[in-house]
């Protein structure tokens, strides 16, 4: 066992290296003084400082935060409600709802983007931050619903029964028991939704209008012109933020039962 | 549990939102794929609908998509998606096996977390990282020049190989995670029983491990193959104008060529391919009775 | 113990699709008694309890608690509380908050809550545990918190759904005694669900043995054990030696029968009608059978000739596996009173199965029910 484990372990280490080396290189070179070459010429935070003065990037960042925030808020409310419907009720159209939620995740992004831009065009809807928010809500609802639904599935029904048994009415049970226990799932869903929203390029590129450029769109247009250290710097910042968000979401998604197992 | 109205009320906002902003747009796109375009990229009004339908002109864009130029693009999308899926599967399985079965239980959350992070981090930035590494002034060329292996920088970017690397790199976590989920559920005593019954390791792998984790393998294949087929960013950034995939073709019709009906037709061909695949997957999971993916 | 009914169940039925989980059950639970619903898994005992608690709505029938019809009342409107199988302690609340959870709905002034919580915890010997989290407690402690939480509301009837199932054997035995003592001192009606016959016997005043959604027998604990009414109850209570015999005749007090092997015997009639020529089935518990080398029929002791097949040493006792003249399988349990001296009977040896007539339990036949 030992020998095989060692060999497999070394192999797994290589896979991790493959996953992380490109990202690590990006991060390291965001501190490189050289503007053009891939040669290390000493450390600097110059590119980060120049980011802070780059109005285009700042404007795009602001747009991304607005879109991510608003879309996440709406998607979290919708997604949580529909997850409750699926996890706690039997109703007409349940199967349809399930499929409806998986479709936006499954359909190629490019198709969704094309469909939305055609739709907005047909309605003579001006492309703006609003159309971007709408597009993001469409694909974020599913992620929130899936995460919250998973949390509900691991939820001990008898806790709600116990609350009813102790005299709490259904609404009181929801606010004193269901919601607090569901909260980590909802927050995790919201964090993931936010992460996806601020990362999205393909769909946004279709539905963004003049003045509603988001950060990925801005980065993309910079890439098309040429690789610059500022792109490395802004990429590093985005990576840092997503890693933190993901770590928090992961921690929250762990069910309380898993923590109890040791006791 | 009886049917109740609360479920409908809770689902209603999502039905409305996805109905108006998802299903309706798809329906409109579908209709547009049968329409005529005018010179400026808009749609040309159709006078006599009956005559238009009778003329068979409404299928013009679908017919056009069968032109060899486009078939070549579809073919490239297909084989690149297939190669990406196969390479991801072969690379991921031993790694997932290590995380789920061999590694110590205490280290498992960390190892898993290290796969989850790239799963969620920006696909754009992860693709850009390869652009940074492979470009003419990039790290690889610099190392090769410094080592004296080449005298001129190699053109590593803007070819099929670069696109494949980007696809494999981008999709790898989407293969490892479902494989892990399946392997983690595998009862270890089954492996021990197989060994106890005299099966060599390779036979245990072939006769026990792989069949038992088939749901994870199939889920991983779907999770990697479907996005690869509709890929846009990787081919645009790493393939440039040389390696065009179906995704770029669609995007071009909307952004540059301004031929929405044709773009819509290709989009629906792509969607049909994806849905067909998922339909097959749904049938498979129904038969197996377990579903790692959804 | 009064004979006032705490819970009156009439014709209660619960169907899940085509299956009747509970099938037209009628029974009365007396105020202040320790009442057990006993049966194998899937017999409907938990569904019955959940209908009393209000978690399942019956398909037909009615439930009254202290005279009030609660058949369709929501759980929060019933004067009963439940101790759940896996305790259902709220993981996001402390022990104290768990116990106080229902008080605000039962008109307890906020100021009184800490005192009442402390009193409830004292009842289960967990004084001072208010600020602990459920996940910091042992299984036994959690079970006691669940009990305190339910008792803190002073319910008229306490429902317990296999609350000891998750505890280990030794702890279970202790808790059984404590729970029984607690019930006696509080005088609250306990309705206890279990699949463990020993547990039911240890704690209960009366037991309803359930099978396939029906009550097979409702009796005092000792009578269920000693006088099982049906074959199912007898088997479930561990009595496994069935004798199928023909009735030859009898008088007012007894029936005369022919035992396998031909010997005659007279069994107490127990007020039931048996006619000559009818088939009759009775059962004798393994520990009430005696394996002898000689036929005792001549001395008036019912004896059946058997062949010894095997012997199972169990430490405290020995079980003999034997076969009757018609190939019937019997098991005989005997206490190991002396150090083990090896087998009294070799495999294949001839022996006689003897029992006292008063230990023969006459069972209802299928048509009798």
């Amino acid at each position: 066992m030992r020998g095989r484990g060692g060999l497999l372990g070394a192999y797994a280490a290589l896979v991790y290296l493959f996953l992380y080396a490109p990202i690590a290189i990006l991060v390291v070179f965001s501190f490189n003084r050289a503007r053009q070459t891939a040669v290390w010429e000493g450390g600097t935070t110059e590119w980060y400082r120049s980011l802070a003065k780059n109005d285009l990037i700042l404007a795009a960042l602001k747009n991304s935060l607005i879109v991510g925030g608003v879309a996440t808020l709406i998607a979290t409310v919708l997604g949580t409600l529909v997850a409750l419907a699926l996890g706690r009720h039997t109703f007409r159209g349940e199967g349809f709802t399930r499929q409806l939620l998986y479709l936006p995740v499954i359909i190629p992004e490019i198709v969704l983007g094309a469909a939305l831009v055609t739709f907005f065009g047909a309605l003579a809807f001006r492309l703006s931050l609003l159309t971007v928010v709408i597009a993001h809500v469409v694909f974020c609802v599913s992620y929130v619903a899936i995460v919250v639904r998973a949390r509900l599935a691991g939820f001990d029904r008898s806790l709600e029964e116990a609350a009813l048994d102790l005299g709490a009415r259904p609404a009181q049970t929801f606010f004193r028991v269901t919601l607090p226990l569901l909260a980590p799932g909802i927050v995790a869903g919201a964090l993931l939704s936010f992460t996806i929203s601020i990362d999205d390029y393909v769909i946004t590129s279709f539905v963004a209008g003049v003045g509603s450029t988001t950060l990925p769109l801005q980065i993309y247009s910079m890439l098309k012109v040429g690789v610059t250290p500022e792109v490395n710097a802004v990429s590093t910042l985005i990576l840092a933020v997503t890693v933190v968000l993901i770590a928090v979401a992961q921690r929250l998604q762990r069910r309380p039962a898993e923590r109890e197992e040791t006791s | 549990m009886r049917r109740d109205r609360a479920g409908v009320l809770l689902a209603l906002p999502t039905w409305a939102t996805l109905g108006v902003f998802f299903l309706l747009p798809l329906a409109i796109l579908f209709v547009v794929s049968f329409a005529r375009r005018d010179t400026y990229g808009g749609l040309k009004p159709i006078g006599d609908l009956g005559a238009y339908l009778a003329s068979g002109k409404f299928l013009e864009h679908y017919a056009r998509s069968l032109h060899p130029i486009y078939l070549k693009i579809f073919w490239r999308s297909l084989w690149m998606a297939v190669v990406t899926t196969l390479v991801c599967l072969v690379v991921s399985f031993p790694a997932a096996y290590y995380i789920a079965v061999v590694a110590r239980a205490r280290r498992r959350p960390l190892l898993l977390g290290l796969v989850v992070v790239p799963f969620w981090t920006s696909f754009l930035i992860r693709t850009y990282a390869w652009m940074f590494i492979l470009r003419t002034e990039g790290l690889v060329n610099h190392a090769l020049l410094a080592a004296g292996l080449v005298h001129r920088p190699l053109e590593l970017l803007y070819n099929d190989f670069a696109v494949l690397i980007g696809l494999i790199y981008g999709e790898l976590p989407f293969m490892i995670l479902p494989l892990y989920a399946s392997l983690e559920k595998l009862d270890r005593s089954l492996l021990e029983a197989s060994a106890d019954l005299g099966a060599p390791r390779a036979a245990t792998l072939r006769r026990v491990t792989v069949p038992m984790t088939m749901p994870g393998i199939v889920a991983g294949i779907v999770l990697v193959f479907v996005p690869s087929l509709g890929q846009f960013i990787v081919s645009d950034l790493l393939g440039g104008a040389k390696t065009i995939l179906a995704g770029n073709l669609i995007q071009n019709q909307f952004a540059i060529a301004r031929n929405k009906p044709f773009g819509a037709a290709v989009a629906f061909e792509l969607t049909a391919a994806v849905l067909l695949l998922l339909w097959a997957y749904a049938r498979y999971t129904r038969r197996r009775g377990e579903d790692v993916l959804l | 113990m009064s004979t006032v009914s705490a819970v009156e169940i009439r014709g209660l039925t619960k169907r899940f699709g085509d299956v009747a989980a509970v099938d037209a059950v009628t029974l009365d639970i007396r105020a202040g008694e320790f009442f057990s619903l006993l049966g194998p898994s899937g017999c409907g005992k938990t569904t019955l309890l959940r209908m009393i608690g209000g978690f399942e709505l019956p398909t037909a029938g009615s439930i009254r608690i202290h005279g009030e019809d609660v058949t369709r009342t929501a759980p929060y409107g019933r004067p009963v509380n439940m101790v759940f199988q896996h305790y259902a302690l709220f993981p996001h609340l402390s022990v104290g908050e768990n116990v106080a959870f229902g008080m605000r709905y039962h008109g307890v002034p906020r100021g009184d809550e800490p005192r009442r919580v402390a009193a409830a915890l004292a009842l289960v010997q967990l004084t001072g545990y208010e600020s602990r989290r459920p996940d910091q407690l042992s299984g036994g402690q959690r079970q006691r918190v669940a009990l305190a939480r339910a008792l803190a509301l002073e319910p008229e009837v306490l429902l317990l759904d296999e609350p000891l199932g998750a505890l280990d054997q030794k702890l279970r035995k202790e808790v059984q005694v404590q729970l029984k003592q607690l019930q006696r001192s509080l005088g609250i009606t306990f309705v206890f669900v279990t699949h463990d016959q020993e547990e039911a016997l240890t704690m209960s005043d009366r037991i309803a043995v359930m099978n396939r959604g029906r009550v097979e027998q409702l009796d005092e604990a000792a009578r269920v054990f000693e006088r099982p009414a049906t074959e199912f109850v007898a088997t479930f209570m561990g009595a496994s030696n069935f004798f199928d015999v023909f009735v030859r005749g009898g008088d007012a007090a007894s029936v005369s029968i022919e035992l396998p092997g031909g010997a005659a015997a007279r069994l107490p009639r127990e007020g039931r009608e048996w006619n000559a020529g009818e088939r009759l089935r009775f059962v004798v518990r393994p520990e009430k059978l005696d394996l002898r080398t000689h036929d005792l029929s001549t001395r008036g002791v019912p004896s059946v000739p058997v062949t010894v097949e095997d012997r199972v040493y169990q430490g405290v006792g020995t079980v003999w596996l034997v076969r009757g003249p018609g190939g019937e399988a019997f098991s005989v349990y005997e206490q190991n009173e002396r150090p083990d001296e090896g087998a009294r009977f070799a495999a294949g040896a001839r022996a006689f199965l003897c029992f006292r007539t008063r230990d023969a339990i006459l069972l209802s036949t299928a048509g009798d029910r």
Side-chain angles (χ1 to χ4, degrees), chain A residues 54 246 250 263:
Chain A
N54 187 327
I246 297 310
Q250 283 285 306
S263 66

Side-chain angles (χ1 to χ4, degrees), chain A residues 1 4-5 8-9 11-12 15-16 18-20 22-23 25-26 29 36 38-39 78 81-82 84-85 88-93 97 100-104 106-108 110-112 114-119 134 138 141 143 192 195-196 199 201-202 206 216 220 223-224 227-228 231-232 235 238 242-243 246 250, chain B residues 1-4 6-8 10-11 13-15 17-18 20-26 28-29 32 90-91 94-95 97-99 102 104 111 114-118 120-122 124-125 128-133 135 137-139 142 169 172 201 226 232-233 236-237 247 250-251 254 267 270-271 274-275 278 294:
Chain A
M1 239 6 223
R4 190 168 59 120
L8 261 181
Y11 174 81
V15 172
Y16 282 107
F18 176 62
L19 280 176
Y20 280 91
I23 301 176
I25 288 168
L26 210 61
F29 277 86
Q36 271 307 317
V39 184
L78 294 180
L81 293 181
V82 76
L84 281 168
R88 280 290 178 271
H89 299 275
T90 320
F91 58 99
R92 199 176 282 277
T97 310
L100 183 66
L101 284 171
Y102 284 124
L103 269 179
I106 279 162
I107 288 231
I110 196 111
V111 176
L112 183 52
L116 280 167
V117 76
T118 310
F119 168 74
I134 289 172
V138 167
V141 169
Y143 286 95
L192 294 181
T195 310
I196 298 163
D199 267 355
Y201 170 76
V202 178
F206 279 91
Y220 208 92
L223 288 184
K224 283 302 218 176
V227 170
T228 64
V231 177
N232 290 1
S235 299
I238 294 177
T242 39
V243 166
I246 297 310
Q250 283 285 306
Chain B
M1 245 197 297
R2 291 167 311 160
R3 293 185 173 228
D4 53 40
V8 173
L10 290 169
T14 299
W15 286 351
T17 309
L18 293 186
V20 174
F21 296 114
F22 178 63
L23 294 182
L24 186 59
L26 284 178
I28 291 175
L29 190 70
V32 165
V90 170
V91 170
Y97 187 85
Y98 176 79
I99 305 170
V102 181
R104 282 185 199 155
L111 291 172
L114 285 174
V115 182
V116 172
V117 167
W120 288 110
T121 43
S122 172
L124 174 61
I125 291 175
Y128 163 63
W130 280 100
M131 207 174 157
F132 185 73
I133 293 167
R135 73 200 162 111
E137 313 85 40
L139 216 58
H142 190 78
Y169 180 70
L172 198 60
R201 276 171 191 165
V226 169
F232 165 72
I233 294 181
D236 194 42
L237 288 182
I250 297 169
Q251 200 262 354
F254 282 87
L270 180 63
T271 308
V274 167
L275 289 181
L278 289 162
L294 305 183

Side-chain angles (χ1 to χ4, degrees), chain B residues 195-217:
Chain B
D196 180 65
L197 295 168
R201 276 171 191 165
T204 299
L205 187 69
R206 187 167 49 79
R207 294 180 60 192
V208 181
T209 316
V210 169
M212 292 292 296
T213 50
M214 209 32 113
I217 294 174

Side-chain angles (χ1 to χ4, degrees), chain C residues 67-270:
Chain C
E68 192 190 337
D69 190 325
V70 297
T71 313
R72 308 247 139 211
T73 309
Y76 47 85
R78 300 186 183 212
V80 300
N81 286 115
M82 178 117 140
V83 177
F84 288 83
Q85 190 168 14
H86 300 290
Y87 320 136
L89 297 182
F90 303 121
H92 59 303
L93 301 178
S94 70
V95 167
E97 288 165 334
N98 262 283
V99 176
F101 189 92
M103 290 183 182
R104 68 173 72 165
Y105 310 118
H106 288 74
V108 177
R110 282 292 166 95
D112 269 6
E113 281 186 7
R115 194 184 49 78
R116 295 261 307 246
V117 169
L121 287 175
L123 215 53
V124 296
Q125 283 119 46
L126 284 177
T127 300
Y129 276 66
E130 279 91 339
S131 57
R132 300 278 188 103
R133 294 255 149 200
D135 58 9
Q136 296 172 322
L137 303 179
S138 71
Q141 290 170 331
R142 282 188 222 176
Q143 187 269 329
R144 276 141 69 193
V145 174
L147 188 62
R149 184 175 70 176
L151 288 175
L153 301 177
E154 297 170 359
E156 293 176 30
V157 178
L158 185 72
L159 309 175
L160 303 102
D161 184 10
E162 305 218 22
L164 312 183
L167 305 182
D168 66 56
Q169 196 60 29
K170 190 167 164 286
L171 191 57
R172 260 179 105 127
K173 298 273 177 213
E174 287 173 31
V175 177
Q176 284 170 11
V177 177
Q178 291 166 1
L179 211 52
K180 176 69 192 159
Q181 287 168 346
L182 192 65
Q183 188 267 337
R184 280 231 180 94
S185 63
L186 293 172
I188 294 177
T189 313
F190 275 33
V191 184
F192 188 90
V193 160
T194 180
H195 63 267
D196 182 337
Q197 46 121 341
E198 247 185 85
E199 188 166 281
L201 291 171
T202 308
M203 306 168 77
S204 318
D205 296 314
R206 291 196 307 152
I207 298 174
V209 184
M210 290 187 68
N211 182 33
R212 297 180 182 198
R214 291 172 165 275
V215 174
E216 293 255 343
Q217 185 174 4
L218 197 173
D219 236 322
E220 313 276 306
R223 277 197 64 83
V224 170
F225 183 76
E226 283 165 16
R227 292 282 143 195
T230 67
E231 194 177 318
F232 173 82
V233 177
T235 314
F236 197 75
M237 288 291 164
S240 49
N241 299 303
F242 292 98
F243 295 85
D244 283 308
V245 295
F246 280 105
V247 177
R248 281 174 161 178
D251 54 32
S254 62
V255 279
S256 55
I257 55 162
E258 184 187 319
L259 288 171
R266 294 179 88 80
L267 301 181
R269 186 183 273 280
E270 294 178 353

Side-chain angles (χ1 to χ4, degrees), chain C residues 322-330:
Chain C
V322 301
R323 276 202 191 275
E328 312 93 324
F330 299 109

Side-chain angles (χ1 to χ4, degrees), chain B residues 138-149:
Chain B
L139 216 58
V140 173
N141 266 319
H142 190 78
L144 289 174
L145 285 169
L149 291 172

